[in-house]
Each structure stands twice: as structure tokens, then as C-alpha cells.
Amino acid sequence: MSLLEVRGLDAHYGAIHALQRVDLTVEKGEIVTLIGSNGAGKSSTLRVLSGLLRPTAGTVTFDGRSLIGLAPHAIVRLGIAHAPEGRGIFGTLTVKENLELGAYSRSDRAGIRADISRMMVRFPILGERAGQSAGTLSGGEQQMLAVGRALMARPKLLLLDEPSLGLAPQIVQTIFAIIREINQEGVTILLVEQNAHMALRVAHRGYVLETGEIKMTDDARVLAASDEVRKAYLGIG
Amino acid sequence: MSSFLQFLLKGIAVGSLYALLALGYTMVYGILQFINFAHSDVFMLGAFFSWRLSVLFKINEPSPVAATGVLLGAMALCSLTGFLLERFAYRPLRRAPRLNVLITAIGVSLFIENAGQLVFGKNVVQFPPLLAEHTFEVGGVRVRSVEVIAVVTAFALMVGLHTLVYRTRMGKAMRAVSIDHNIAGLMGIPVDRIISLTFVIGSALAAAAGLLVGITYGQIKQPADSSWVLYGLKAFVAAVIGGIGNVPGAMLGGLLLGLSEQFVAGYLPSELRDAIAFLLLIIILLVRPNGLLGRRVVEKV
């Protein structure tokens, strides 16, 4: 059984049909990427998975349980953490408070404290800025905070929405290295990216979304080599 | 000099009641960005529940224990009222335009006022003497013991609230919800429960203010009397002066408003007392549009 199984998913924003019959699976231990242009439905897919958007049809099964109709906080408790588009940092709270909020679904105080220290080792800048308002961090630093905060929930599945958006190339490299590291530690990752080049390099498998529909799916390497993907998303050919 | 001290003490007494009430407005605004017009009615109910509880338990003579019991009882009843108000009047409109919620709040307010008249009658009610009335002199100024107790109670509740909001896990969740409901949900915070809690706490503070008003003045006016709404309106002004959505701001605004009212009434024609609240509001908003402690949030993209 797959860790995450999505079947025939439909979602609407008012009259706009954002997702159409989306099928998608994520196996335990994988990095799966969802690529596609702006407005293809990548973020909407993640929003359905974390309970922010109610689907109009279809099923979502995580770890053998249906997620349909569950509130976001209940989904976090089942083991899905979502680092949303635009990072969603609480700018007026401190870096440390942001991390603590990431662990809101947990009650093991000692474990939370240990994880905060661990995050500050993994992301040294978060340690240096622990007491500072998170809004004063740079874009890259905020992205690290968003990832670190999502990890504080100790998720089985991590949803990452455009972690490279608006960041300098060097920082993008760092972020992707971290994504690989997290995965090697056993966290399954569903990665949404416009930067198809980087995403297909780090992922095991990929899906191509176009106007709300899955157009292709394959091993990441096969996708990166296919003519269609190279033309449409990698700007080659 | 002694009159100065008199105005100062009276200002703190009135101001701390405004502050208690302002907290309810500011907390709900912070979390839902809407003005809960029914808050002044919960405050009114706090006074009437206190009165009824005192009658029910036949409290005819001053007793600190009985007074505390009445306070807790009124707080519990108003908390329940606030909870039901949010659950059945406001929550169904969570995704509706803000104007709909505002109109609903006005409707709820009128409903409570009229239902209040039906239940509690239309006459001025003599408030039972829950606390012994002593007066003593400090620096040539007469001080009433009930006023001192009212101020102490109000400050204790405010310190408690401040601790809750800034020092506890639950408070951190409240602050997160006030910044962004969706992101708070993604953290595993049960957003609806936190919103309920905000109404419950704000209503409990309003109940305390209602009881303290009853004790201080010795009588309470009928449920639909305009003085309740005026009191609520001034508390709302206090919240805006301090920076709406900001908890310490509401306390500061309340005290400032209470003090300036007393000094104006003392040194200038007393008819100006009510006007000063709104004059103060205009001046402060001209200088600091976000209120005294309200800060403009600067976020890097």
C-alpha cells in the first residue's frame, strides 16, 4: 500500500476548475515532484492534501486513512506537514516561537526541545537569530525556517511548495541539498516546483501537471530526458 | 493638589474597567478582524447575572467569599454566552463578507438587549452590597474600598490574561491564529477551538467588568439602556487608541481614556466628558494611525 494515494481528485475555486481527475501516489521513502507552469494546480493539490482546500470529488488516502473532510490540524496529527507557498512565516513572532508552533501537534516537551536544538544545528542561521522576529530574516533564511518548522511536527510526509521561489541560485542549491538530506533521514517528500530542472534532479519520480490535469508521470530521470518536458519546462530543445 | 489626586484615582478606577472591556474587543478583532458589537451586551449580562446570582443565593450582607463566588458564576455564564454567540451567530458566517458579520453582530446585540428587558425587567436594579463599603483618606483624598478592590481585581485579571497570551502554549496558538488562520491550521492548531476560546475569555473579562460596575455604582440600569452601549463604545475606542488587536494596548488605552475623562470632567465643564473619548481618538489616530502600541508589520518577501 502506498503511503499516499490520490484518486480522481477534483477541486474548484468558485467556477474555476483547479484540479481534474488527478491520480497520484507517493511511496514511503520517496521524493516525488509535481512540476508544471504557474496555475497548473500544483499548489491546489497540496492544499487539498493538507485540508486547506475541500475537494469536490475523489479520494485521498494517507497511511490507510481517508483525509477527506478532515480539518488541517487533524491532518497534521496524522503525520503530514505542509511548508506552504510563500513560506507562511509568522513575521511578528520570533524564530524560536515559529519553530515551537511547528511542534504544536506534539506533547513530548523534552523531544520538542531536543528537536529545536537539532534544527538550530542543521540551520545555524536559525540558531543565531532564535530570539529575533522571523519577519527580519532574508528570503532564504525564511525558507529554511519554513522547512525547519514543518519538520518540527515530525512528519511522515513533508509537502514542500516552491521552496526555491525567489531565492538566489546558491541558496537554491543549499535548499535542495537539505531536501535530499531530510529524505535520507527517512522523511517522504512531495515537492512542488516550477524549477523543474532542480526538482527532477533531486526527486525519484515526477508528475507533470497542466491546467489541472496530470499529463505525464515517470521516473525523474526519464522525465528530465523526455522531449516534451525538456521543451516545456527545461527550456531546452 | 488633593483634587488632582482624586481625579487620578477615579481615572484609574474607571480606566481599569474600560481596559477589561477593551480586551474583549481587541482580542476578537485581532483574531477575526471584526468588531463584536454584542460585546457590550455580554458586559451588561455580566452585571445582571451577578445581580441574579446574588439574589438566588440570598447574599444580603457583604462577604468577600460570596462576592468571589458571584464573580466566578457570572464569568462562567458570560463565557457560555460568548461561546454560544460565536458558535451559532458568527461561525456560520466565517467565509461570508465582513459586512454580513457586522450586521449579524448588531442584530445579536439588539436581540440580547430586548431579551434582557424581558427577563430582567425595565427598571433600575439596586445592586446587592457584595462588599463592605469603607472610605478612608489618603493624602486628603477620600478613597472608597470597593473602588480599590475593583482596580485590584481588574489588574489581576489583566495580568492573568497577559500571562496567558504571552507565556503559554495556548497564547502562542492564539497569536498564530490572529496572524493567519490557514497557516495556524498547518501547524496543527485547532483554529475553531482557539476562536471559541477567545470569545470565552473576552466574555469572562466583560462579566467581571459588569460586576465591578454594579459594585462601584450600587445600581445598574435596565438592559437596553444606552449607557451600556456607550460604555462599550468607549472601551472600543480605548482598544483603538492602544492599537486594535494589541493586548497591552487595550489596557493602556483603557487607563488613558479613564484618566483623561476624569481630568476633563474635573477641570473643564463636565458635559465634555464623553466627547473627550472621541476627541482623544481622533488626535491619536492622526498622529499614530495604528494606535499607541499598534505596529505596522513589515515583512520581507
Side-chain angles (χ1 to χ4, degrees):
Chain A
M1 190 184 57
S2 307
L3 181 63
L4 178 74
E5 224 176 287
V6 176
R7 290 278 164 256
L9 198 66
D10 266 41
H12 293 78
Y13 290 105
I16 299 163
H17 204 162
L19 296 175
Q20 304 185 41
R21 296 176 305 282
V22 168
D23 292 331
L24 182 148
T25 57
V26 179
E27 306 296 333
K28 196 161 182 297
E30 275 189 314
I31 301 181
V32 172
T33 186
L34 212 53
I35 57 175
S37 53
N38 224 342
K42 305 184 301 291
S43 294
S44 300
T45 307
L46 294 193
R47 286 170 60 83
V48 169
L49 296 180
S50 58
L52 292 179
L53 177 63
R54 287 265 156 112
T56 39
T59 60
V60 179
T61 317
F62 175 72
D63 226 1
R65 293 192 53 172
S66 169
L67 300 186
I68 302 295
L70 292 186
H73 70 93
I75 292 176
V76 178
R77 269 161 220 278
L78 292 179
I80 298 182
H82 182 177
E85 195 179 10
R87 302 166 199 132
I89 292 303
F90 297 113
T92 48
L93 305 188
T94 66
V95 169
K96 184 152 180 265
E97 284 175 320
N98 270 275
L99 288 174
E100 286 165 350
L101 280 167
Y104 193 83
S105 56
R106 296 166 55 186
S107 48
D108 55 323
R109 286 178 172 223
I112 293 170
R113 257 200 306 276
D115 278 1
I116 287 180
S117 315
R118 216 164 295 149
M119 287 309 154
M120 292 180 174
V121 173
R122 161 163 275 154
F123 306 104
I125 190 73
L126 300 186
E128 284 167 37
R129 307 267 164 99
Q132 215 166 301
S133 309
T136 62
L137 299 181
S138 73
E141 291 162 359
Q142 286 194 9
Q143 189 58 59
M144 305 214 185
L145 178 56
V147 173
R149 190 179 62 175
L151 287 175
M152 286 301 298
R154 291 231 176 149
K156 294 179 194 142
L157 174 64
L158 176 61
L159 310 177
L160 292 176
D161 198 343
E162 304 263 14
S164 75
L165 193 71
L167 301 184
Q170 210 178 347
I171 298 167
V172 173
Q173 296 283 351
T174 313
I175 296 271
F176 276 92
I178 290 167
I179 291 173
R180 191 173 279 140
E181 247 176 68
I182 293 167
N183 177 248
Q184 277 160 3
E185 287 162 20
V187 180
T188 308
I189 294 172
L190 180 55
L191 169 68
V192 154
E193 260 300 339
Q194 274 196 65
N195 186 342
H197 179 69
M198 288 299 292
L200 289 173
R201 262 178 42 185
V202 74
H204 302 105
R205 289 191 302 119
Y207 289 84
V208 179
L209 258 180
E210 246 172 56
T211 56
E213 289 181 87
I214 303 275
K215 283 288 152 148
M216 298 170 73
T217 172
D218 217 320
D219 273 5
R221 242 173 279 167
V222 178
L223 282 181
S226 86
D227 283 345
E228 285 173 68
V229 173
R230 285 164 65 92
K231 266 187 205 152
Y233 302 108
L234 301 178
I236 306 166
Chain B
M1 186 58 208
S2 71
S3 63
F4 176 87
L5 210 59
Q6 185 83 60
F7 300 147
L8 184 73
L9 293 174
K10 184 80 183 157
I12 291 172
V14 178
S16 56
L17 293 184
Y18 287 147
L20 269 187
L21 210 47
L23 285 166
Y25 285 103
T26 220
M27 281 171 37
V28 166
Y29 187 90
I31 237 157
L32 292 176
Q33 281 78 51
F34 105 97
I35 302 158
N36 178 16
F37 268 104
H39 192 59
S40 63
D41 301 291
V42 175
F43 161 60
M44 173 276 288
L45 286 178
F48 278 90
F49 285 151
S50 303
W51 163 56
R52 273 298 168 91
L53 283 170
S54 313
V55 173
L56 189 68
F57 290 105
K58 301 190 174 57
I59 303 167
N60 300 318
E61 43 197 82
S63 144
V65 177
T68 310
V70 169
L71 174 67
L72 295 178
M75 285 171 91
L77 286 172
C78 282
S79 290
L80 180 67
T81 308
F83 173 81
L84 294 173
L85 195 67
E86 191 279 327
R87 183 67 192 77
F88 293 106
Y90 301 147
R91 188 176 299 181
L93 297 172
R94 195 63 50 79
R95 285 169 213 289
R98 207 157 299 159
L99 189 60
N100 301 18
V101 191
L102 190 73
I103 290 168
T104 304
I106 294 171
V108 167
S109 169
L110 290 172
F111 172 80
I112 296 179
E113 283 169 25
N114 289 286
Q117 280 191 328
L118 210 62
V119 176
F120 300 120
K122 296 183 186 177
N123 300 318
V124 172
V125 170
Q126 291 308 313
F127 210 78
L130 290 174
L131 295 172
E133 183 79 56
H134 299 294
T135 18
F136 44 93
E137 281 205 11
V138 181
V141 177
R142 272 182 52 245
V143 181
R144 292 171 63 203
S145 59
V146 288
E147 280 182 353
V148 174
I149 291 169
V151 170
V152 170
T153 310
F155 271 84
L157 287 170
M158 285 190 267
V159 169
L161 180 76
H162 196 268
T163 309
L164 177 82
V165 172
Y166 291 99
R167 297 270 179 277
T168 69
R169 189 175 111 97
M170 196 189 278
K172 211 180 296 154
M174 289 174 74
R175 286 182 288 145
V177 172
S178 80
I179 297 171
D180 190 318
H181 291 200
N182 280 344
I183 307 292
L186 293 183
M187 301 296 107
I189 297 168
V191 175
D192 279 334
R193 216 174 305 155
I194 296 291
I195 293 172
S196 290
L197 189 78
T198 305
F199 274 84
V200 163
I201 295 172
S203 303
L205 297 178
L211 170 68
L212 296 176
V213 160
I215 288 180
T216 312
Y217 296 109
Q219 57 177 34
I220 47 178
K221 292 192 176 149
Q222 63 121 329
D225 191 87
S226 65
S227 62
W228 295 109
V229 175
L230 185 63
Y231 224 98
L233 212 53
K234 285 193 202 158
F236 173 66
V237 166
V240 175
I241 287 175
I244 188 99
N246 184 305
V247 167
M251 303 182 203
L252 179 68
L255 283 176
L256 209 61
L257 189 60
L259 285 169
S260 52
E261 270 189 11
Q262 292 307 314
F263 280 109
V264 168
Y267 292 120
L268 300 170
S270 63
E271 293 80 22
L272 287 176
R273 202 191 61 194
D274 289 345
I276 193 67
F278 300 95
L279 186 67
L280 193 66
L281 176 72
I282 292 167
I283 293 171
I284 286 176
L285 290 189
L286 280 175
V287 183
R288 285 188 67 92
N290 294 306
L292 291 174
L293 299 186
R295 50 185 160 172
R296 215 164 314 175
V297 181
V298 184
E299 280 185 62
K300 278 194 191 170
V301 183

